[in-house]
Amino acid sequence: MTRIINPKKVYTYHQLSVDIDRLNETYPDLLAVDVIGKSVAERSVFSLKLGSGKQEILVNGAHHAREWLTTTLLMDMVETYCLAASTNQCIGSYPVKDILKQVTIYFIPMVNPDGVTLVQQGPELFLNSCKLREWNNNKDDFMDWKANIRGVDLNRQYPVDWEQIHHDPGRPAPMNFKGYAALSEPEVKAVYNFVSGHDFKLAVAYHSSGEEIFWKYKSTGEQEKYAKKIANITSNKTGYQLIYPTDNPSGGGFTDWFISHFKRPSLTIEIAPLVGPRPVPLSYYDKIWNENKEVPLELANQLII
Ligand SMILES: [Zn+2]
């Protein structure tokens, strides 16, 4: 069967929308698509529900604009899992169809569709293109942009220790500006509302620099022990190293919020070697795919065994 997702090209918001429709038509019994909110420039923030299990886990990507290869990775997972479940095949040692009967995996493949579009296509598409250039230090090249199109870093927007976030520039910028209030940005509000309305047993936020896993945020005791187990399993699967935070970690991230609020494990997985402030080159994709393709299945499996 011809595959729908082509991971070997620049993955745009438009391609994402087209591919989601095609996946939905191809796998109507396995997949359910929803729009959980709209971006500042009215692009859809999609969720894809895979499976029918009572337990739920969440995998999201592209909070940061230049890290759009995480969207590619998640969409490739969705299609690969659908194909395996519909033909009753295993991926590695994982019986996908059986796992999805017990655990539903939700994907939010592109949290920041405006930012991704800005990185890939430049500022002309946006009504505030002059402001965007100004915030980008008058550069025309937006390859290093991480924020949304209001210059707010969406991974510094969640309501956990938001007041004390480190290195905040205090105004719109390509990265690190936490905004004028937590949850001020519609993309984060969409994720926040969606997650709050579910009962996710664990979550993964995919990012793309350093082949590292962030797993701890001020958790202690049994919560920390279980989180470390989940993090170790993921580290063994990917080969990525675990990061131990300082005593005074900067808050505001999705993972920080999920861990603190729900007292359950969440991982920030950084998928690529350090490549500098730009999107991860497509030439890394096969390596990244092999390291990560089984991660959500393994995490789902942890809830069953
Ligand atoms: Zn990131």
Side-chain angles (χ1 to χ4, degrees):
M1 186 197 263
T2 315
R3 294 285 297 246
I4 294 167
I5 312 299
N6 177 2
K8 297 297 177 66
K9 62 177 197 179
V10 173
Y11 205 73
T12 62
Y13 169 77
H14 174 71
Q15 192 64 53
L16 173 73
S17 310
V18 169
D19 286 351
I20 284 176
D21 283 347
R22 291 175 66 198
L23 284 172
N24 211 9
E25 284 165 18
T26 310
Y27 301 106
D29 300 335
L30 275 167
L31 195 63
V33 176
D34 208 353
V35 174
I36 64 169
K38 293 280 184 180
S39 66
V40 171
E42 296 286 320
R43 289 182 176 79
S44 296
V45 180
F46 295 105
S47 71
L48 291 87
K49 175 191 179 195
L50 189 51
S52 54
K54 254 190 178 160
Q55 305 201 77
E56 299 176 339
I57 67 173
L58 173 69
V59 184
N60 66 56
H63 269 84
H64 286 147
R66 74 188 190 208
E67 301 177 24
W68 53 258
L69 200 64
T70 57
T71 302
T72 314
L73 175 68
L74 269 47
M75 292 302 289
D76 203 355
M77 285 174 180
V78 171
E79 182 176 15
T80 303
Y81 297 178
C82 282
L83 186 58
S86 66
T87 53
N88 209 7
Q89 290 183 356
C90 290
I91 294 175
S93 59
Y94 301 96
V96 181
K97 190 177 174 186
D98 296 338
I99 290 174
L100 293 175
K101 275 186 190 154
Q102 298 191 64
V103 181
T104 299
I105 308 176
Y106 283 87
F107 292 86
I108 304 176
M110 191 184 282
V111 175
N112 185 4
D114 295 345
V116 169
T117 303
L118 176 62
V119 168
Q120 294 171 343
Q121 297 176 45
E124 286 77 16
L125 287 171
F126 296 96
L127 294 173
N128 64 339
S129 58
C130 294
K131 275 281 172 211
L132 285 164
R133 278 202 186 83
E134 185 189 319
W135 297 334
N136 198 36
N137 303 313
N138 296 313
K139 284 185 303 171
D140 276 327
D141 180 341
F142 283 76
M143 294 292 262
D144 68 351
W145 192 272
K146 291 171 81 174
N148 73 351
I149 58 153
R150 289 203 288 228
V152 178
D153 191 322
L154 300 184
N155 208 35
R156 293 178 149 228
Q157 267 276 294
Y158 290 87
V160 52
D161 296 330
W162 182 86
E163 293 75 13
Q164 314 158 33
I165 287 174
H166 307 173
H167 310 299
D168 175 41
R171 60 177 183 81
M175 62 196 78
N176 293 344
F177 177 46
K178 68 181 185 177
Y180 297 111
L183 301 177
S184 62
E185 300 311 293
E187 300 88 350
V188 171
K189 201 69 200 290
V191 174
Y192 174 86
N193 288 339
F194 180 75
V195 174
S196 300
H198 281 266
D199 182 27
F200 293 116
K201 292 288 179 359
L202 54 85
V204 177
Y206 267 104
H207 287 252
S208 73
S209 55
E211 298 185 323
E212 295 170 338
I213 298 170
F214 295 85
W215 60 279
K216 180 174 154 69
Y217 188 80
K218 298 183 178 177
S219 46
T220 54
E222 283 304 308
Q223 188 193 351
E224 181 185 0
K225 220 169 123 188
Y226 180 53
K228 192 166 183 193
K229 181 186 160 197
I230 294 293
N232 267 321
I233 287 165
T234 310
S235 173
N236 288 338
K237 196 147 247 336
T238 55
Y240 302 165
Q241 64 168 333
L242 299 189
I243 298 298
Y244 290 78
T246 61
D247 291 340
N248 181 27
S250 187
F254 171 85
T255 288
D256 313 330
W257 169 66
F258 190 93
I259 291 170
S260 303
H261 189 75
F262 298 103
K263 314 286 183 211
R264 288 173 178 170
S266 182
L267 306 172
T268 295
I269 304 181
E270 305 272 1
I271 58 169
L274 291 173
V275 297
R278 63 183 174 126
V280 176
L282 289 171
S283 55
Y284 284 101
Y285 185 76
D286 288 341
K287 176 179 180 329
I288 290 166
W289 172 247
N290 285 324
E291 289 161 348
N292 288 278
K293 65 184 175 191
E294 295 174 356
V295 166
L297 296 173
E298 174 59 42
L299 295 176
N301 217 23
Q302 285 300 314
L303 301 179
I304 302 169
I305 55 177

